[in-house]
């Protein structure tokens, strides 16, 4: 698979939806994590990321304007006691956490879930698991050609991340109606991060100005597990 410039790829797609990026910095010393959300409706755009003890959660910026929290309020990122970092676009973060606590794996957890019940889009559930050694997994649960009865589950596992390379998976292929699900393998993208702040600024600038909502970026030192974290919200 061709190595894609991450910023170019994001800037050329006005609505990739929600996206997860996992990878390794060019100096081979840090794991790189990013999660972004976008929105077209007022309800989707009325959100911010807020830090928690184990990661982040989404929260309504203006509580009076929140209409349906069921698919937009959740914990996208949780750091588990065993050192695994889980990042997803929905409440399957908690499903993965709970199944791992019971001695199972992330695949076992996601076999109990399906895509989001938001027809006609049937938004995919995307998930990532980053291990303390920097290896990582990505997955997507999506409808087959818009069929409600068929959930396709795809799992991608990366045992030896390459320096300066990561993988991006996002919910929508493009900005059509209804929104088509992401197709193919996670995109193999450049990781140009020098610091969490500079990488976050570059990603934020590449995302569509009208549709971007919030961004979480974290660089994790593989030797010390020290975290460098940046959150950017359109609503400050």
């Amino acid at each position: 698979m061709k190595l894609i410039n991450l910023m170019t790829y994001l800037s050329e797609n006005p609505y990739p939806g929600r996206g997860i990026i996992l990878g390794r910095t060019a100096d081979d010393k840090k794991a790189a994590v990013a999660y972004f959300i976008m929105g077209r409706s007022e309800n989707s755009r009325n959100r911010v990321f807020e830090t928690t003890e184990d990661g982040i959660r989404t929260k309504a910026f203006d509580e009076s304007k929140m209409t349906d929290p069921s698919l937009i309020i959740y914990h996208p990122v949780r750091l588990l006691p065993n050192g695994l970092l889980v990042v997803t676009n929905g409440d399957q973060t908690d499903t993965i956490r709970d199944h791992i606590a019971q001695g199972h794996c992330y695949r076992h957890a996601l076999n109990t879930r399906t895509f989001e019940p938001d027809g006609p889009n049937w938004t995919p559930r995307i998930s990532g698991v980053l291990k303390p050694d920097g290896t990582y997994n990505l997955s997507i649960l999506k409808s087959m050609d818009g069929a409600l009865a068929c959930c396709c589950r795809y799992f991608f596992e990366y045992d030896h991340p390459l320096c300066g390379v990561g993988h991006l998976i996002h919910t929508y292929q493009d900005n059509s109606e209804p929104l088509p699900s992401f197709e193919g393998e996670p995109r193999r993208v450049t990781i140009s991060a020098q610091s969490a702040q500079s990488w976050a600024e570059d990603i934020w600038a590449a995302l569509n100005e009208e549709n971007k909502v919030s961004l979480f970026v974290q660089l994790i030192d593989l030797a010390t597990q020290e975290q460098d974290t940046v959150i950017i919200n359109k609503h400050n």
Side-chain angles (χ1 to χ4, degrees):
M1 181 180 290
K2 180 178 71 172
L3 183 62
I4 298 170
N5 182 285
L6 173 62
M7 306 313 166
T8 301
Y9 182 86
L10 292 176
S11 66
E12 291 178 347
N13 188 341
Y15 197 63
R18 288 166 277 176
I20 298 169
I21 306 162
L22 297 178
R24 185 76 62 91
T25 56
D27 62 8
D28 202 29
K29 294 182 178 180
K30 296 177 181 178
V33 184
Y35 176 65
F36 61 82
I37 61 174
M38 307 182 80
R40 300 190 303 179
S41 68
E42 181 180 30
N43 200 42
S44 292
R45 291 176 175 178
N46 180 36
R47 289 183 291 174
V48 294
F49 285 164
E50 181 179 73
T51 58
T52 64
E53 289 185 357
D54 61 353
I56 61 170
R57 67 175 181 176
T58 59
K59 180 183 178 182
F61 174 69
D62 184 342
E63 296 284 356
S64 68
K65 293 181 179 180
M66 179 60 63
T67 55
D68 179 10
S70 60
L71 295 175
I72 63 174
I73 302 300
Y74 54 93
H75 288 78
V77 178
R78 287 193 186 275
L79 180 63
L80 308 189
N82 62 0
L84 296 180
L85 186 77
V86 179
V87 51
T88 87
N89 72 325
D91 62 9
Q92 72 268 25
T93 309
D94 295 347
T95 304
I96 295 172
R97 176 199 60 183
D98 295 345
H99 279 247
I100 288 176
Q102 296 165 11
H104 303 297
C105 69
Y106 85 105
R107 283 185 178 227
H108 187 278
L110 291 173
N111 279 330
T112 70
R113 302 302 302 269
T114 184
F115 46 83
E116 295 184 354
D118 63 341
N121 296 320
W122 310 121
T123 299
R125 292 190 186 273
I126 55 173
S127 306
V129 177
L130 175 68
K131 303 171 187 177
D133 64 359
T135 60
Y136 55 88
N137 307 325
L138 288 167
S139 72
I140 183 168
L141 314 180
K142 64 179 185 176
S143 166
M144 177 179 284
D145 300 327
L148 179 58
C150 183
C151 178
C152 303
R153 296 180 172 86
Y154 300 91
F155 301 94
F156 307 91
E157 303 185 349
Y158 304 93
D159 290 343
H160 299 285
L162 302 179
C163 304
V165 176
H167 290 86
L168 160 67
I169 194 166
H170 51 89
T171 51
Y172 305 126
Q173 188 71 11
D174 56 53
N175 197 22
S176 305
E177 292 290 351
L179 288 163
S181 295
F182 178 90
E183 296 177 0
E185 294 183 25
R187 308 298 185 247
R188 186 169 174 256
V189 297
T190 55
I191 301 294
S192 58
Q194 299 297 318
S195 68
Q197 184 65 44
S198 64
W199 196 41
E201 290 174 357
D202 288 344
I203 294 174
W204 187 251
L207 293 170
N208 180 269
E209 180 64 30
E210 182 179 1
N211 295 322
K212 63 187 177 184
V213 175
S214 293
L215 170 68
F216 165 89
V217 159
Q218 189 171 87
L219 298 185
I220 304 171
D221 189 294
L222 295 172
T224 66
Q225 297 300 301
E226 181 180 354
Q227 301 170 350
D228 181 12
T229 306
V230 174
I231 292 174
I232 301 177
N233 293 307
K234 193 167 187 178
H235 298 296
N236 291 319

